[in-house]
Amino acid sequence: MSTTQSERLRELLEPLVTSQGLDLEEIAVDSVGRKRVLRVVVDSDAGADLDQIADVSRELSARLDETDAMGEGEYTLEVGTPGAERQLTEHRHYLRAVDRLVRFQLAEGGELVARILDVDDEGLDLEVPGVKGRKASGRRVGFAEIDKARVQVEFNRKDKKDMTEEEEA
């Protein structure tokens, strides 16, 4: 049974990432001209700050230097987080996206943009924003109904603290 380079790298690097309190979300080896780039994406429930990224990057670099996991030749190691418009693929991703606006591609076809209110083992409770002055509505979506889901960037959204302060004023 053969394993891909990404699988071997995951087996090698995942224990180091989890020892830093992070989840290993993605590993990709890309060729950019003659150069190779190893991209490692990490995250946690609380997010990952720059110090954590730097620490895990040093750990991964040291481990890779001790092995031949990347083979001969030079490569660049890039360690980062999933970014603002992350794709949701794991249950933990949905939990981390509670209160975030998400664009869903539904398995039956069609698209839905809604805010995640709650997540359980079967699916999601959503708030679908109202259109043209209508109130928002609730909707339940099971995981089996979701083909793809991606967090949306919101520039004007007030967080719960801001909304509570406005209500009190």
Side-chain angles (χ1 to χ4, degrees):
M1 180 171 141
S2 72
T3 57
T4 66
Q5 183 180 24
S6 291
E7 290 169 336
R8 289 190 307 270
L9 286 167
R10 180 173 286 278
E11 288 174 13
L12 177 69
L13 303 179
E14 193 160 30
L16 292 173
V17 172
T18 56
S19 74
Q20 298 285 328
L22 299 169
D23 295 317
L24 179 57
E25 297 293 349
E26 183 181 332
I27 291 179
V29 180
D30 298 314
S31 294
V32 181
R34 292 183 179 177
K35 297 180 181 180
R36 292 180 304 147
V37 178
L38 170 58
R39 290 185 175 87
V40 178
V41 178
V42 298
D43 202 7
S44 76
D45 291 343
D49 64 30
L50 289 176
D51 290 333
Q52 286 178 301
I53 299 291
D55 290 344
V56 79
S57 182
R58 282 189 291 273
E59 291 280 331
L60 297 180
S61 181
R63 176 60 58 92
L64 289 164
D65 289 346
E66 296 169 356
T67 69
D68 66 346
M70 286 298 293
E72 296 298 317
E74 294 182 20
Y75 66 92
T76 301
L77 172 64
E78 294 180 359
V79 180
T81 59
E85 290 188 4
R86 67 187 66 186
Q87 188 162 344
L88 308 177
T89 58
E90 304 282 335
H91 189 267
R92 69 177 178 266
H93 298 164
Y94 289 96
L95 289 169
R96 292 174 185 162
V98 168
D99 287 331
R100 300 288 307 269
L101 194 64
V102 176
R103 180 178 306 276
F104 297 94
Q105 298 292 324
L106 302 175
E108 69 206 21
E111 189 174 271
L112 171 67
V113 176
R115 188 168 311 285
I116 297 176
L117 299 176
D118 193 29
V119 180
D120 60 34
D121 291 340
E122 286 80 42
L124 312 167
D125 291 326
L126 305 174
E127 178 185 70
V128 181
V131 179
K132 295 183 181 178
R134 293 186 183 156
K135 288 187 175 184
S137 61
R139 180 168 174 181
R140 175 78 181 168
V141 175
F143 288 117
E145 299 174 61
I146 300 170
D147 191 28
K148 292 182 182 177
R150 184 175 299 277
V151 172
Q152 301 297 289
V153 174
E154 294 181 85
F155 294 106
N156 298 331
R157 178 156 194 255
K158 296 178 182 178
D159 63 19
K160 287 183 179 182
K161 179 183 169 218
D162 292 338
M163 289 187 286
T164 304
E165 288 173 0
E166 258 185 29
E167 290 170 3
E168 290 174 356

